[in-house]
Protein backbone atom coordinates (compact mmCIF):
# COMPACT_ATOMS: atom_id res chain seq x y z
CA UNK A 1 0.00 0.00 0.00
CA UNK A 2 1.49 3.31 -1.06
CA UNK A 3 -0.34 5.36 1.57
CA UNK A 4 1.88 6.75 4.31
CA UNK A 5 0.93 6.29 7.94
CA UNK A 6 -1.10 9.09 9.48
CA UNK A 7 -2.29 9.62 13.03
CA UNK A 8 -6.02 9.36 13.68
CA UNK A 9 -8.02 11.08 16.38
CA UNK A 10 -11.40 12.54 17.20
CA UNK A 11 -12.39 15.89 18.68
CA UNK A 12 -15.64 17.72 19.43
CA UNK A 13 -16.58 20.30 16.81
CA UNK A 14 -19.56 22.40 15.89
CA UNK A 15 -21.19 24.01 12.93
CA UNK A 16 -22.10 27.39 14.39
CA UNK A 17 -25.75 28.29 14.17
CA UNK A 18 -27.09 31.80 14.30
CA UNK A 19 -29.53 34.43 13.19
CA UNK A 20 -27.92 36.05 10.17
CA UNK A 21 -28.06 39.68 9.08
CA UNK A 22 -30.87 39.10 6.56
CA UNK A 23 -33.01 37.30 9.11
CA UNK A 24 -32.21 33.77 7.91
CA UNK A 25 -31.36 31.11 10.47
CA UNK A 26 -28.42 28.74 10.31
CA UNK A 27 -28.90 25.50 12.25
CA UNK A 28 -26.47 24.66 15.03
CA UNK A 29 -24.87 21.19 14.80
CA UNK A 30 -22.51 19.49 17.25
CA UNK A 31 -20.45 16.65 15.86
CA UNK A 32 -17.22 14.71 16.19
CA UNK A 33 -14.55 15.70 13.68
CA UNK A 34 -11.71 13.55 12.40
CA UNK A 35 -8.23 14.71 13.41
CA UNK A 36 -5.66 13.55 10.87
CA UNK A 37 -2.01 14.22 11.65
CA UNK A 38 -3.07 16.58 14.44
CA UNK A 39 -5.34 18.75 12.27
CA UNK A 40 -9.09 18.61 11.58
CA UNK A 41 -9.64 16.90 8.25
CA UNK A 42 -12.48 19.33 7.52
CA UNK A 43 -10.01 22.23 7.48
CA UNK A 44 -8.01 20.53 4.74
CA UNK A 45 -11.05 20.72 2.46
CA UNK A 46 -10.90 24.53 2.27
CA UNK A 47 -14.24 26.39 2.24
CA UNK A 48 -16.70 23.65 3.15
CA UNK A 49 -19.76 24.06 5.37
CA UNK A 50 -20.37 20.47 6.46
CA UNK A 51 -20.50 18.09 9.41
CA UNK A 52 -19.38 14.51 9.90
CA UNK A 53 -21.99 11.73 10.25
CA UNK A 54 -21.09 11.59 13.97
CA UNK A 55 -23.52 14.33 15.03
CA UNK A 56 -25.08 14.69 18.46
CA UNK A 57 -28.65 15.28 17.31
CA UNK A 58 -29.22 11.97 15.56
CA UNK A 59 -30.81 8.95 17.31
CA UNK A 60 -28.33 6.78 19.24
CA UNK A 61 -28.96 3.74 17.02
CA UNK A 62 -28.10 5.73 13.88
CA UNK A 63 -25.05 7.25 15.58
CA UNK A 64 -23.85 3.75 16.45
CA UNK A 65 -24.43 2.59 12.87
CA UNK A 66 -22.26 5.44 11.55
CA UNK A 67 -19.46 4.47 13.95
CA UNK A 68 -19.69 0.81 12.97
CA UNK A 69 -19.56 1.75 9.29
CA UNK A 70 -16.30 3.58 9.87
CA UNK A 71 -15.04 0.45 11.62
CA UNK A 72 -16.19 -1.58 8.58
CA UNK A 73 -18.55 -3.54 10.80
CA UNK A 74 -21.59 -2.36 8.81
CA UNK A 75 -22.26 -2.17 5.09
CA UNK A 76 -21.13 0.88 3.12
CA UNK A 77 -24.04 3.24 2.39
CA UNK A 78 -22.84 4.05 -1.15
CA UNK A 79 -21.59 2.12 -4.16
CA UNK A 80 -18.01 0.91 -4.54
CA UNK A 81 -17.39 0.77 -0.80
CA UNK A 82 -17.75 4.52 -0.35
CA UNK A 83 -18.58 6.15 2.97
CA UNK A 84 -19.80 9.63 3.80
CA UNK A 85 -17.08 11.59 5.61
CA UNK A 86 -18.85 14.98 5.65
CA UNK A 87 -22.38 15.92 4.64
CA UNK A 88 -24.82 18.83 4.46
CA UNK A 89 -25.39 20.35 7.92
CA UNK A 90 -28.98 21.30 7.14
CA UNK A 91 -30.50 18.12 5.67
CA UNK A 92 -27.67 15.55 5.29
CA UNK A 93 -29.07 14.65 1.86
CA UNK A 94 -26.64 13.36 -0.74
CA UNK A 95 -28.24 15.62 -3.36
CA UNK A 96 -26.82 18.62 -1.47
CA UNK A 97 -23.36 17.15 -1.82
CA UNK A 98 -21.09 15.16 0.47
CA UNK A 99 -17.42 14.36 0.84
CA UNK A 100 -17.04 10.60 0.44
CA UNK A 101 -14.12 8.20 0.45
CA UNK A 102 -13.35 4.54 0.10
CA UNK A 103 -12.53 2.94 3.45
CA UNK A 104 -10.78 -0.41 3.41
CA UNK A 105 -8.89 -2.60 5.81
CA UNK A 106 -5.53 -4.11 5.00
CA UNK A 107 -4.34 -7.47 6.16
CA UNK A 108 -0.93 -8.56 7.24
CA UNK A 109 1.68 -6.64 9.19
CA UNK A 110 0.70 -3.52 11.07
CA UNK A 111 4.34 -2.61 11.37
CA UNK A 112 5.44 0.89 12.05
CA UNK A 113 7.67 2.94 9.82
CA UNK A 114 10.72 1.26 11.32
CA UNK A 115 9.39 -2.22 10.46
CA UNK A 116 8.52 -3.14 14.04
CA UNK A 117 5.11 -4.61 14.78
CA UNK A 118 2.59 -2.10 16.09
CA UNK A 119 0.98 -2.30 19.53
CA UNK A 120 -2.23 -3.55 17.96
CA UNK A 121 -0.63 -6.79 16.76
CA UNK A 122 0.57 -8.07 13.41
CA UNK A 123 -2.77 -9.51 12.31
CA UNK A 124 -5.09 -6.61 13.11
CA UNK A 125 -4.40 -4.70 9.92
CA UNK A 126 -4.62 -1.03 9.13
CA UNK A 127 -7.44 1.17 7.85
CA UNK A 128 -7.03 3.20 4.68
CA UNK A 129 -9.11 6.19 3.57
CA UNK A 130 -8.60 6.91 -0.12
CA UNK A 131 -10.18 8.37 -3.26
CA UNK A 132 -11.83 11.36 -1.61
CA UNK A 133 -14.49 12.99 -3.77
CA UNK A 134 -17.35 15.47 -3.76
CA UNK A 135 -20.43 13.37 -4.48
CA UNK A 136 -24.00 14.41 -5.32
CA UNK A 137 -25.36 11.11 -6.71
CA UNK A 138 -24.92 7.39 -6.20
CA UNK A 139 -21.86 7.27 -8.46
CA UNK A 140 -18.73 9.28 -7.64
CA UNK A 141 -16.80 10.87 -10.52
CA UNK A 142 -13.20 10.87 -9.31
CA UNK A 143 -11.85 12.49 -12.46
CA UNK A 144 -14.20 15.47 -12.27
CA UNK A 145 -14.88 15.80 -8.53
CA UNK A 146 -12.03 14.01 -6.80
CA UNK A 147 -9.99 15.68 -4.04
CA UNK A 148 -6.71 14.82 -5.69
CA UNK A 149 -4.56 16.47 -3.03
CA UNK A 150 -6.21 14.74 -0.05
CA UNK A 151 -5.04 11.31 1.09
CA UNK A 152 -4.71 8.45 0.91
CA UNK A 153 -4.35 8.10 4.68
CA UNK A 154 -3.28 4.88 6.37
CA UNK A 155 -4.22 4.56 10.05
CA UNK A 156 -2.83 1.97 12.45
CA UNK A 157 -5.62 -0.41 13.34
CA UNK A 158 -5.27 -0.26 17.12
CA UNK A 159 -5.26 3.53 17.27
CA UNK A 160 -8.16 3.78 14.84
CA UNK A 161 -10.38 1.26 16.62
CA UNK A 162 -9.59 2.65 20.05
CA UNK A 163 -10.64 6.17 19.06
CA UNK A 164 -13.90 5.13 17.43
CA UNK A 165 -14.56 2.57 20.15
CA UNK A 166 -14.76 5.35 22.74
CA UNK A 167 -17.84 6.67 20.95
CA UNK A 168 -19.57 3.32 21.32
CA UNK A 169 -18.98 3.35 25.06
CA UNK A 170 -19.55 7.02 25.75
CA UNK A 171 -21.86 9.93 25.08
CA UNK A 172 -22.22 11.67 21.75
CA UNK A 173 -21.04 15.31 21.64
CA UNK A 174 -23.39 18.13 22.43
CA UNK A 175 -24.43 17.34 25.99
CA UNK A 176 -25.44 20.53 27.78
CA UNK A 177 -26.79 22.29 24.69
CA UNK A 178 -29.42 24.05 26.75
CA UNK A 179 -29.28 27.64 27.95
CA UNK A 180 -30.91 29.25 30.97
CA UNK A 181 -31.96 32.84 30.26
CA UNK A 182 -32.08 35.09 33.33
CA UNK A 183 -33.60 38.54 32.92
CA UNK A 184 -36.55 40.83 33.52
CA UNK A 185 -37.21 41.71 29.88
CA UNK A 186 -39.81 39.07 29.15
CA UNK A 187 -40.40 39.97 25.51
CA UNK A 188 -36.68 40.00 24.69
CA UNK A 189 -36.08 36.68 26.44
CA UNK A 190 -39.01 35.12 24.62
CA UNK A 191 -37.60 36.23 21.25
CA UNK A 192 -34.12 35.04 22.21
CA UNK A 193 -35.40 31.65 23.37
CA UNK A 194 -37.36 31.22 20.12
CA UNK A 195 -34.30 32.10 18.04
CA UNK A 196 -32.12 29.64 19.96
CA UNK A 197 -34.65 26.85 19.61
CA UNK A 198 -34.93 27.55 15.90
CA UNK A 199 -31.23 26.87 15.40
CA UNK A 200 -31.25 23.77 17.61
CA UNK A 201 -30.33 25.03 21.09
CA UNK A 202 -32.72 24.45 23.96
CA UNK A 203 -33.58 27.51 26.05
CA UNK A 204 -35.60 28.16 29.21
CA UNK A 205 -36.44 31.45 30.91
CA UNK A 206 -36.30 32.05 34.66
CA UNK A 207 -35.95 34.87 37.17
CA UNK A 208 -33.22 32.96 39.05
CA UNK A 209 -32.03 29.44 39.79
CA UNK A 210 -33.42 29.13 43.32
CA UNK A 211 -34.90 25.72 44.08
CA UNK A 212 -33.88 24.15 40.76
CA UNK A 213 -32.69 20.55 41.34
CA UNK A 214 -29.03 19.86 40.69
CA UNK A 215 -29.99 17.22 38.10
CA UNK A 216 -31.72 19.87 36.03
CA UNK A 217 -28.92 22.41 36.42
CA UNK A 218 -26.53 19.82 34.98
CA UNK A 219 -28.45 19.82 31.69
CA UNK A 220 -27.41 23.42 30.94
CA UNK A 221 -24.26 24.44 29.10
CA UNK A 222 -24.63 28.20 29.61
CA UNK A 223 -26.48 30.86 31.57
CA UNK A 224 -27.18 34.20 29.89
CA UNK A 225 -27.85 37.28 32.05
CA UNK A 226 -29.73 40.32 30.82
CA UNK A 227 -28.02 43.64 31.41
CA UNK A 228 -30.63 44.62 34.01
CA UNK A 229 -30.05 41.59 36.27
CA UNK A 230 -28.62 42.82 39.61
CA UNK A 231 -25.29 41.61 40.94
CA UNK A 232 -26.92 39.80 43.85
CA UNK A 233 -29.04 37.67 41.54
CA UNK A 234 -26.04 36.85 39.34
CA UNK A 235 -24.03 35.75 42.38
CA UNK A 236 -26.89 33.58 43.65
CA UNK A 237 -27.26 31.87 40.26
CA UNK A 238 -23.52 31.20 40.09
CA UNK A 239 -23.63 29.77 43.63
CA UNK A 240 -26.45 27.40 42.66
CA UNK A 241 -24.47 26.01 39.74
CA UNK A 242 -21.29 25.75 41.85
CA UNK A 243 -23.19 23.79 44.50
CA UNK A 244 -24.44 21.42 41.79
CA UNK A 245 -20.89 20.93 40.54
CA UNK A 246 -21.72 22.20 37.04
CA UNK A 247 -19.07 23.64 34.76
CA UNK A 248 -21.31 26.13 32.98
CA UNK A 249 -20.47 29.21 30.91
CA UNK A 250 -21.91 32.54 32.07
CA UNK A 251 -22.78 35.15 29.45
CA UNK A 252 -23.33 38.84 30.16
CA UNK A 253 -25.57 40.17 27.41
CA UNK A 254 -24.01 43.10 25.55
CA UNK A 255 -27.17 44.65 24.13
CA UNK A 256 -30.88 43.84 23.57
CA UNK A 257 -30.17 42.55 20.06
CA UNK A 258 -31.24 38.95 19.46
CA UNK A 259 -28.66 38.01 16.73
CA UNK A 260 -25.88 39.48 18.87
CA UNK A 261 -27.01 37.57 21.99
CA UNK A 262 -27.31 34.36 19.96
CA UNK A 263 -23.71 34.84 18.80
CA UNK A 264 -22.53 35.36 22.40
CA UNK A 265 -24.27 32.18 23.51
CA UNK A 266 -22.94 30.20 20.54
CA UNK A 267 -19.41 31.21 21.51
CA UNK A 268 -20.00 30.31 25.16
CA UNK A 269 -21.27 26.84 24.22
CA UNK A 270 -18.32 26.07 21.96
CA UNK A 271 -16.28 23.46 23.84
CA UNK A 272 -14.09 22.48 20.89
CA UNK A 273 -10.33 22.82 21.49
CA UNK A 274 -9.21 26.35 20.64
CA UNK A 275 -6.30 24.97 18.63
CA UNK A 276 -8.81 23.30 16.29
CA UNK A 277 -10.90 26.35 15.43
CA UNK A 278 -10.57 28.22 12.17
CA UNK A 279 -11.54 31.60 13.60
CA UNK A 280 -8.90 32.45 16.18
CA UNK A 281 -9.05 36.23 16.68
CA UNK A 282 -11.43 39.17 16.46
CA UNK A 283 -10.56 42.60 17.77
CA UNK A 284 -11.26 46.23 17.05
CA UNK A 285 -8.23 48.39 16.24
CA UNK A 286 -9.09 52.04 15.70
CA UNK A 287 -11.57 52.34 12.84
CA UNK A 288 -11.00 48.76 11.65
CA UNK A 289 -11.79 45.25 12.78
CA UNK A 290 -9.05 42.62 12.66
CA UNK A 291 -9.81 38.94 12.26
CA UNK A 292 -7.54 35.93 11.87
CA UNK A 293 -8.27 32.48 10.44
CA UNK A 294 -6.16 29.35 10.19
CA UNK A 295 -7.47 27.89 6.92
CA UNK A 296 -9.34 29.02 3.83
CA UNK A 297 -13.05 29.53 4.62
CA UNK A 298 -16.01 31.84 4.28
CA UNK A 299 -15.99 34.72 6.76
CA UNK A 300 -18.93 36.95 7.61
CA UNK A 301 -18.48 40.17 9.56
CA UNK A 302 -21.63 41.90 10.82
CA UNK A 303 -21.82 45.04 12.94
CA UNK A 304 -24.70 46.09 15.19
CA UNK A 305 -25.77 49.15 17.10
CA UNK A 306 -28.89 50.38 18.88
CA UNK A 307 -29.96 53.92 17.99
CA UNK A 308 -31.53 56.53 20.27
CA UNK A 309 -34.99 55.16 19.54
CA UNK A 310 -33.82 51.65 20.58
CA UNK A 311 -33.98 50.36 17.03
CA UNK A 312 -31.40 47.79 15.95
CA UNK A 313 -29.15 48.82 13.09
CA UNK A 314 -27.33 46.07 11.17
CA UNK A 315 -24.53 46.36 8.63
CA UNK A 316 -22.84 43.39 6.98
CA UNK A 317 -19.32 44.57 6.19
CA UNK A 318 -17.84 41.35 4.82
CA UNK A 319 -19.00 38.05 3.35
CA UNK A 320 -16.12 36.46 1.46
CA UNK A 321 -13.94 33.39 1.24
CA UNK A 322 -10.60 34.40 2.76
CA UNK A 323 -7.17 32.85 2.79
CA UNK A 324 -5.43 31.92 6.07
CA UNK A 325 -3.94 34.78 8.01
CA UNK A 326 -4.85 38.19 9.41
CA UNK A 327 -7.44 40.39 7.68
CA UNK A 328 -8.31 44.02 8.42
CA UNK A 329 -11.69 45.48 7.42
CA UNK A 330 -12.84 49.12 7.86
CA UNK A 331 -15.68 49.66 10.33
CA UNK A 332 -18.69 51.85 9.52
CA UNK A 333 -19.32 54.91 11.69
CA UNK A 334 -21.05 54.39 15.04
CA UNK A 335 -20.57 50.62 15.02
CA UNK A 336 -20.85 49.21 18.54
CA UNK A 337 -20.59 45.44 18.27
CA UNK A 338 -18.98 43.10 15.73
CA UNK A 339 -19.84 39.45 15.09
CA UNK A 340 -17.49 37.28 13.03
CA UNK A 341 -18.63 33.91 11.70
CA UNK A 342 -17.01 31.04 9.87
CA UNK A 343 -18.84 27.74 9.25
CA UNK A 344 -17.55 26.34 12.54
CA UNK A 345 -16.86 29.34 14.79
CA UNK A 346 -18.23 32.63 16.02
CA UNK A 347 -16.56 35.51 17.89
CA UNK A 348 -17.97 38.77 19.26
CA UNK A 349 -16.18 42.05 19.97
CA UNK A 350 -17.25 45.44 21.35
CA UNK A 351 -16.20 48.79 19.95
CA UNK A 352 -14.81 51.09 22.62
CA UNK A 353 -16.72 54.36 23.03
Amino acid sequence: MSAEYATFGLAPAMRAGGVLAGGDCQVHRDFVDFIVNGRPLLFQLADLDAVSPLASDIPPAIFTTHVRRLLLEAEAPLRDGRYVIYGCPECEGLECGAVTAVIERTRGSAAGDDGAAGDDGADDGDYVWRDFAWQTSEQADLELNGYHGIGPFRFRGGEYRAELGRLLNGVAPGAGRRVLLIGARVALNAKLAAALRTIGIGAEIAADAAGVPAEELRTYGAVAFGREVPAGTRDAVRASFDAAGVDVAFVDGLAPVVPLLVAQIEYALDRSPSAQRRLTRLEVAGDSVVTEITSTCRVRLTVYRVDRLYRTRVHEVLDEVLEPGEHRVPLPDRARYVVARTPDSVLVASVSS
Side-chain angles (χ1 to χ4, degrees):
M1 176 66 64
S2 60
E4 296 183 359
Y5 277 105
T7 60
F8 180 84
L10 301 170
M14 78 170 189
R15 188 267 192 146
V19 179
L20 306 181
D24 293 334
C25 291
Q26 181 170 284
V27 175
H28 176 98
R29 301 292 303 279
D30 288 290
F31 64 100
V32 174
D33 199 5
F34 309 111
I35 308 301
V36 178
N37 289 329
R39 187 165 178 253
L41 179 59
L42 184 60
F43 291 7
Q44 301 181 42
L45 300 171
D47 178 36
L48 183 64
D49 183 12
V51 300
S52 82
L54 307 178
S56 67
D57 54 355
I58 59 177
I62 297 177
F63 185 91
T64 297
T65 296
H66 286 313
V67 176
R68 294 202 179 281
R69 282 174 175 169
L70 295 172
L71 288 167
L72 302 184
E73 295 174 0
E75 186 178 354
L78 302 172
R79 294 179 185 174
D80 303 320
R82 300 193 69 82
Y83 296 79
V84 175
I85 307 300
Y86 295 107
C88 173
E90 298 287 344
C91 69
E92 301 183 64
L94 185 60
E95 62 274 8
C96 290
V99 176
T100 68
V102 173
I103 300 179
E104 60 188 11
R105 189 174 176 184
T106 68
R107 295 296 179 182
S109 175
D113 294 332
D114 57 359
D119 294 336
D120 44 78
D123 297 326
D124 286 343
D126 303 324
Y127 290 78
V128 176
W129 289 15
R130 62 175 175 82
D131 296 338
F132 287 82
W134 178 254
Q135 192 167 343
T136 56
S137 62
E138 286 298 316
Q139 189 70 43
D141 187 335
L142 295 179
E143 185 67 29
L144 183 63
N145 297 316
Y147 285 97
H148 302 293
I150 304 296
F153 301 114
R154 183 174 184 172
F155 306 115
R156 290 181 171 83
E159 176 185 63
Y160 185 89
R161 286 189 298 277
E163 286 292 303
L164 289 169
R166 290 190 297 108
L167 298 180
L168 297 176
N169 300 319
V171 179
R177 300 306 306 189
R178 298 174 67 211
V179 181
L180 184 61
L181 307 178
I182 306 289
R185 302 185 64 168
V186 178
L188 175 64
N189 279 337
K191 292 179 181 178
L192 177 57
L196 290 167
R197 291 166 187 154
T198 297
I199 67 172
I201 297 176
E204 283 75 42
I205 303 169
D208 53 44
V212 179
E215 293 77 11
E216 183 175 345
L217 293 180
R218 294 189 185 103
T219 66
Y220 293 104
V223 177
F225 296 111
R227 293 195 299 176
E228 75 286 352
V229 176
T233 300
R234 295 171 189 250
D235 292 341
V237 170
R238 287 187 170 92
S240 295
F241 277 89
D242 286 342
V246 183
D247 180 19
V248 67
F250 294 99
V251 179
D252 294 317
L254 291 173
V257 178
V258 169
L260 177 66
L261 295 172
V262 168
Q264 285 189 266
I265 292 169
E266 278 281 285
Y267 173 74
L269 289 174
D270 188 359
R271 299 302 178 91
S272 62
S274 56
Q276 293 170 5
R277 301 179 192 177
R278 273 191 276 210
L279 182 60
T280 58
R281 184 161 65 103
L282 178 71
E283 61 184 38
V284 177
D287 58 357
S288 300
V289 59
V290 179
T291 186
E292 188 170 354
I293 55 175
T294 59
S295 66
T296 301
C297 62
R298 182 182 182 184
V299 179
R300 290 176 173 150
L301 291 178
T302 309
V303 299
Y304 298 90
R305 69 179 178 88
V306 179
D307 66 18
R308 281 182 277 184
L309 297 177
Y310 300 100
R311 296 172 298 190
T312 300
R313 301 299 185 184
V314 185
H315 188 180
E316 192 168 89
V317 297
L318 180 72
D319 186 357
E320 296 180 15
V321 175
L322 301 180
E323 296 294 322
E326 179 182 294
H327 302 272
R328 184 179 295 265
V329 180
L331 277 175
D333 293 338
R334 294 182 289 178
R336 292 290 296 127
Y337 310 102
V338 185
V339 175
R341 289 186 176 278
T342 63
D344 65 319
S345 307
V346 59
L347 288 177
V348 180
S350 296
V351 180
S352 301
S353 301

